[in-house]
Amino acid sequence: MNSYSLRGLNWFNALSAGATPVEGLPASLKVADGVLGDQPVRFIAVVADPDNRFVRARNGEVGLLEGWGLAKGVDEVIAADVDKPHKRAVIAIVDVPSQAYGRREEALGIHQALAGAADSYARARLAGHAVIGLLVGKAMSGAFLAHGYQANRLIALRDPGVMVHAMGKASAARVTLRSVEELEALAASVPPMAYDIDSYASLGLLWETLSVEQIEQPTAADLTRVTECLNQAIGDVATHGRDLSSRLGADNRAASSKVRQLLRAQW
């Protein structure tokens, strides 16, 4: 049995069926150009590569090759569509357990690789591309910041295996000098400390959540439902703009909204 998740790969394969694969990228990146409804899109997923030359990035983590590869995959879309009135949408399929932790990664500048990926996604969004993040598994730490978090709209599938956080539970427990059980008890009353999708949604960061029948291997009905939601998200970006202001409306982000209001007034 695999020790790594296949959710991202399975959803990529389902959504990109019939699309044209993009070559010249690491094996841990799946990229394809296709159509979603009548909208041309580029699908992008980070997947596990057991043969990755960087051993810390063999289970779906976002490491050096993945960070720079994501940047390349998104930059190609920006450059190819620069003079087109209708920009391709970018669908980031997110199932990433963490960034790659390792001495080689640190020495070779993983911070720059992941920043490059985040920058490319942000520039695509600002250039008029609808960037949609589809969370089908874990969206953890720097990996999510590099792949998905810069999206105009975030959609999460409802499942206990879909989690968003700055770090894994064991790591968070060590940093906060608590046991995992104590951390989970704290998370019950402090939404930003929790891992479940409902707590994350209460922060106002998700555009939509969806229930599916088989999250590990989507059914035809699952694929239809998710495809419709992705198309609606692309349309919502076209209607309401490409900024991230929609993330600040939730009650649990009231302080964030207030700080931004005061900063604008003082600036």
Side-chain angles (χ1 to χ4, degrees):
M1 185 175 179
N2 294 323
S3 60
Y4 49 81
S5 172
L6 294 175
R7 288 186 182 191
L9 177 61
N10 290 341
W11 277 97
F12 173 86
N13 288 338
L15 288 166
S16 67
T20 303
V22 176
E23 306 295 338
L25 294 166
S28 51
L29 281 184
K30 295 295 183 181
V31 181
D33 290 321
V35 178
L36 200 66
D38 58 356
Q39 169 71 45
V41 299
R42 172 162 287 195
F43 300 98
I44 303 178
V46 177
V47 302
D49 173 22
D51 298 319
N52 197 311
R53 63 187 294 185
F54 291 96
V55 297
R56 298 290 187 177
R58 289 183 172 174
N59 294 308
E61 298 88 351
V62 179
L64 295 161
L65 298 178
E66 294 73 30
W68 292 124
L70 286 167
K72 179 181 179 182
V74 177
D75 280 353
E76 288 176 350
V77 174
I78 299 171
D81 292 4
V82 65
D83 294 323
K84 296 180 180 178
H86 300 293
K87 314 287 187 182
R88 258 178 298 176
V90 179
I91 309 297
I93 301 167
V94 181
D95 178 25
V96 286
S98 74
Q99 74 264 33
Y101 293 100
R103 292 182 178 179
R104 286 198 293 172
E105 281 76 13
E106 295 296 336
L108 295 174
I110 189 174
H111 62 291
Q112 292 179 318
L114 270 58
D119 175 71
S120 292
Y121 274 119
R123 285 188 293 102
R125 174 168 54 78
L126 295 172
H129 298 269
V131 180
I132 312 299
L134 176 65
L135 281 56
V136 303
K138 290 182 178 178
M140 305 294 282
S141 62
F144 183 38
L145 298 183
H147 178 54
Y149 191 63
Q150 278 293 330
N152 300 93
R153 303 290 183 271
L154 290 171
I155 300 167
L157 302 187
R158 286 192 165 276
D159 182 81
V162 179
M163 294 183 282
V164 186
H165 207 279
M167 60 180 69
K169 287 186 180 181
S171 300
R174 285 195 299 271
V175 168
T176 59
L177 303 180
R178 292 177 169 86
S179 67
V180 172
E181 292 74 21
E182 289 171 332
L183 186 71
E184 290 175 337
L186 181 64
S189 59
V190 184
M193 295 293 294
Y195 288 75
D196 64 286
I197 282 302
D198 284 328
S199 293
Y200 190 68
S202 75
L203 301 176
L205 297 165
L206 296 177
W207 183 73
E208 185 62 271
T209 61
L210 288 177
S211 296
V212 294
E213 296 173 7
Q214 296 182 21
I215 194 167
E216 296 287 347
Q217 182 63 263
T219 65
D222 293 337
L223 187 60
T224 297
R225 187 170 193 193
V226 170
T227 298
E228 289 176 352
C229 188
L230 289 170
N231 273 317
Q232 289 168 3
I234 293 170
D236 191 66
V237 173
T239 301
H240 296 104
R242 60 196 183 199
D243 65 28
L244 304 181
S245 59
S246 61
R247 297 186 182 185
L248 290 170
D251 291 342
N252 283 335
R253 297 297 300 284
S256 295
S257 298
K258 183 65 174 178
V259 167
R260 283 165 172 78
Q261 179 184 343
L262 293 173
L263 284 172
R264 282 194 297 270
Q266 293 180 29
W267 193 264

